[in-house]
Amino acid sequence: MTENGDSTTPRAHGRVTRRTVLKAAGASALAAGAVTATGSSAAAEDGKPYDAIVVGAGYAGGTVARELGARGMKVLVLEARGRIGGRIEPGTLAGQHIELGGGWFGPGQDLVARELKRYSLTTTEDVHATRMVMPGPNGYASHSPQEAGARLNSLFADFYAGSEQYFERPYEPLHRKDLLASVDRLSLADRIAQLQLTGVDHDWVSGATSVFAGGNRTGSLTGLAQWYQLAGGTYDKFLSVMSELPQGGMISILERMLRESGATVSLNSPVTAIRERGGLTHVEVRGGRVHQAPVVVLATPVNMWSTLTFEPGLPKVYADAAREGLGVPHATKLWLRVRGTSEAVSAQAPEGAPILLLIPQKQLPDGRIFVAFTGPALDVSDPQAVRAAVRGLLPEARVVEYRAKEWHKDPYARGGWGLRRPGQLLRQLPDIQQPFGRIVFAGGDIASGWNGAFVEGALESGFRAAEQAATLAG
Ligand SMILES: Cc1cc2nc3c(=O)[nH]c(=O)nc-3n(C[C@H](O)[C@H](O)[C@H](O)COP(=O)(O)OP(=O)(O)OC[C@H]3O[C@@H](n4cnc5c(N)ncnc54)[C@H](O)[C@@H]3O)c2cc1C
């Protein structure tokens, strides 16, 4: 395992050459912006001060950088990693492009669609499953996608009953604040208990919710219910959000956004402190270098906020969000090449199983690629355990090779995609979307609409943060 939890393909650590950095960052796409390998050459080359500093070169930070650049502002982006993208991370397995982080988008995600159009990028549809393996009374059983889909639709109509009212306007999650008090405190486990789900119904629901929540006790009912309503209020519409793939991978829009921004992107620049003094923010990078600007946009995962020093200290509502976290506590994406099954079979397991969800991908001459989301019960550094977990779902399958990314172990994510904890909606939104002094907060985790698990939300949050930053910068 490398320190990033990347279990089969160690990446180079230590010295990073300009060439490798440019490659990692998408050199051709970023050619118009300046990319530096370390903070040491990040000072404004023309001697003019920066108008804004953006911390984090993920989708939220990239959106802010482009929007501020469009206003003629001079922007410095400080990125902790040696690459852009954050929780979007392209990779390869068996010579195929894979996404170790976010990869899909779908209908209703209009901001992503608008960016694809802006950069003339096409999309492809993901593989459709031809068979579904689901928990049965005596082990796993096969169903047609239509049969399994109908049962899932019915189970989740009950599970999310009432959400069409409490999320009457899903893009404005607090519109029916009056109805939320009784539901926002519920975890997904509470909701399962409330419905007294048992047997196969329990297994079908608990697996489907825990895969999105990283555990049914930590994920909130309203977190998932909001996504369900954003998607159109049926389970098959919700699943269709994971149906399309952007040309060139999920990173391709961001590469173009950063190029268009004209911002200086300083890689390998982890920010350790943000201090506000004399009408300026002083942003300190590991190693001691300090950059100044009238405004700083913190576009890191919420789970990273507690690792930074703030002067003055963050008010309680931000400190609470930082302490509780928003990124799910377990998020492992596992890519596999499998022989022995040429069928496009998908599989779902109950909470507690080693693999919670297995999704068929491309058929190659020498096996099929699958992508899986695992639970804490599977140690992905143990190839025997991975093989056994796959065989548990597909007895005929033989794993040839695999690659896993454990986002909860990633030092600059400290969690997976975002999903609110019980009570966080009412206690923390919209307060944590507001600036504190000269610090503006951005990130998919704190979006109003497609928050947490979607690039769409990172874009939404980035547009809002850019407005706030432009106002503060005067
Ligand atoms: C396994 C997985 C699967 C997902 N699947 C999908 C999907 O299919 N579709 C979809 O739309 N979304 C998906 N998502 C969610 C999506 O990836 C995120 O919502 C989105 O990328 C968040 O963007 P962001 O800019 O808010 O945060 P991030 O992408 O996390 O960007 C934040 C940046 O801040 C940097 N940073 C952190 N700390 C510091 C510091 N101290 N100093 C400087 N920089 C710092 C990080 O390195 C990172 O580059 C998935 C996420 C995961 C983890």
Side-chain angles (χ1 to χ4, degrees):
M1 300 281 284
T2 71
E3 67 191 60
N4 281 344
D6 186 346
S7 55
T8 57
T9 313
R11 272 198 307 277
H13 287 283
R15 204 176 75 84
V16 184
T17 65
R18 181 170 170 81
R19 193 156 165 251
T20 54
V21 166
L22 285 170
K23 194 170 166 222
S28 60
L30 284 168
V35 182
T36 65
T38 69
S40 61
S41 56
E45 279 160 18
D46 60 6
K48 289 191 199 142
Y50 289 107
D51 298 311
I53 295 171
V54 176
V55 182
Y59 262 98
T63 306
V64 174
R66 188 190 69 190
E67 294 304 299
L68 295 183
R71 289 169 159 88
M73 290 170 67
K74 191 173 159 74
V75 178
L76 171 64
V77 180
L78 296 171
E79 167 53 51
R81 304 173 198 267
R83 62 171 180 84
I84 65 165
R87 283 171 282 177
I88 303 301
E89 183 175 351
T92 51
L93 182 80
Q96 302 296 310
H97 175 96
I98 60 170
E99 300 282 2
L100 295 164
W104 294 282
F105 81 105
Q109 300 196 326
D110 296 341
L111 297 176
V112 174
R114 200 170 77 190
E115 295 299 330
L116 288 165
K117 197 166 169 204
R118 178 181 186 127
Y119 296 118
S120 306
L121 291 166
T122 57
T123 61
T124 50
E125 233 184 277
D126 204 6
V127 171
H128 290 274
T130 52
R131 179 164 71 93
M132 285 177 79
V133 169
M134 300 292 290
N138 306 302
Y140 290 97
S142 266
H143 301 265
S144 71
Q146 294 72 21
E147 191 189 0
R151 185 163 180 180
L152 282 166
N153 270 341
S154 156
L155 285 167
F156 279 102
D158 291 343
F159 192 79
Y160 295 123
S163 61
E164 68 285 3
Q165 279 138 26
Y166 60 80
F167 286 129
E168 186 186 325
R169 296 187 192 169
Y171 284 93
E172 296 171 47
L174 294 167
H175 174 65
R176 294 303 309 268
K177 212 171 174 175
D178 56 319
L179 299 180
L180 284 167
S182 60
V183 276
D184 192 40
R185 59 185 169 75
L186 298 180
S187 69
L188 294 159
D190 292 335
R191 180 63 176 158
I192 289 169
Q194 207 175 51
L195 294 176
Q196 299 181 335
L197 290 174
T198 53
V200 173
D201 284 353
H202 174 275
D203 290 350
W204 280 43
V205 170
S206 78
T209 52
S210 73
V211 72
F212 289 107
N216 284 333
R217 299 217 160 275
T218 43
S220 64
L221 169 65
T222 59
L224 281 194
Q226 190 189 353
W227 298 348
Y228 180 82
Q229 286 303 330
L230 283 162
T234 65
Y235 197 67
D236 51 6
K237 284 186 182 159
F238 171 62
L239 289 185
S240 75
V241 169
M242 302 195 302
S243 62
E244 292 185 59
L245 306 160
Q247 169 197 353
M250 202 50 134
I251 199 78
S252 54
I253 302 170
L254 180 62
E255 289 171 343
R256 286 158 180 81
M257 289 179 118
L258 283 170
R259 177 173 62 179
E260 188 181 340
S261 76
T264 298
V265 181
S266 180
L267 301 179
N268 301 303
S269 301
V271 168
T272 54
I274 300 177
R275 300 185 173 85
E276 190 176 331
R277 286 180 192 147
L280 281 179
T281 58
H282 298 245
V283 181
E284 188 172 325
V285 173
R286 191 162 66 208
R289 190 179 175 89
V290 178
H291 302 274
Q292 295 177 7
V295 61
V296 59
V297 180
L298 186 60
T300 70
V302 169
N303 289 24
M304 293 304 298
W305 294 359
S306 62
T307 66
L308 271 67
T309 299
F310 294 91
E311 281 181 23
L314 289 179
K316 184 176 180 320
V317 68
Y318 305 88
D320 285 350
R323 194 188 61 255
E324 293 165 19
L326 251 143
V328 302
H330 184 93
T332 302
K333 201 167 176 185
L334 172 67
W335 285 85
L336 309 133
R337 181 161 65 93
V338 167
R339 285 193 199 132
T341 172
S342 57
E343 218 181 333
V345 56
S346 85
Q348 191 190 296
E351 185 176 29
I355 289 179
L356 294 167
L357 184 63
L358 188 69
I359 304 170
Q361 299 284 288
K362 202 171 177 183
Q363 175 69 50
L364 304 177
D366 195 15
R368 183 180 280 280
I369 304 277
F370 284 86
V371 59
F373 291 86
T374 75
L378 181 62
D379 174 1
V380 289
S381 69
D382 178 353
Q384 303 278 24
V386 170
R387 285 189 200 112
V390 173
R391 273 200 312 273
L393 294 168
L394 308 179
E396 68 280 17
R398 278 178 299 121
V399 174
V400 184
E401 59 178 325
Y402 72 92
R403 186 169 177 187
K405 170 89 184 187
E406 296 172 282
W407 285 94
H408 46 285
K409 294 185 180 171
D410 180 293
Y412 297 117
R414 294 166 65 101
W417 55 86
L419 179 70
R420 289 186 302 262
R421 312 296 192 245
Q424 276 187 326
L425 173 58
L426 285 177
R427 281 187 289 111
Q428 290 161 10
L429 277 187
D431 298 3
I432 56 172
Q433 298 172 328
Q434 305 310 312
F436 167 56
R438 297 191 157 274
I439 307 175
V440 170
F441 297 84
D445 296 349
I446 61 169
S448 293
W450 288 98
N451 54 75
F454 307 97
V455 164
E456 179 78 6
L459 296 173
E460 178 219 289
S461 169
F463 284 117
R464 189 242 322 126
E467 290 283 337
Q468 293 169 331
T471 306
L472 278 170

